């Protein structure tokens, strides 16, 4: 019984660390997209003003 419990705990822990890595990856991608959007938006604004 305890072996089964340890296995399931390990699985839960593995899935949690995986989801944390996934969240981190998505966050980095979103930040990169936001930066790209800000720079392109800034260029558009400069063109409109100029």
């Amino acid at each position: 019984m305890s072996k089964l419990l340890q296995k399931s705990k390990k699985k839960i822990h593995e899935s949690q660390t995986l989801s944390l890595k996934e969240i981190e990856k998505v966050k980095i991608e979103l930040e990169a997209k936001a930066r790209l959007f800000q720079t392109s938006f800034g260029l558009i604004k400069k063109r409109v003003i100029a």
Side-chain angles (χ1 to χ4, degrees):
M1 184 67 196
S2 62
K3 250 188 181 175
L4 192 68
L5 194 66
Q6 283 177 332
K7 262 189 181 175
S8 62
K9 272 186 178 178
K10 194 177 176 209
K11 274 236 186 294
I12 290 166
H13 183 71
E14 281 171 4
S15 64
Q16 281 177 339
T17 51
L18 182 74
S19 61
L20 279 172
K21 282 179 189 168
E22 287 293 310
I23 289 165
E24 198 64 34
K25 207 171 92 175
V26 169
K27 210 171 87 177
I28 289 165
E29 281 174 15
L30 282 174
E31 283 171 0
K33 280 179 185 169
R35 243 179 268 124
L36 193 71
F37 178 74
Q38 282 178 332
T39 50
S40 59
F41 190 69
L43 286 172
I44 292 165
K45 264 183 18 185
K46 280 179 190 166
R47 280 202 199 125
V48 169
I49 291 164

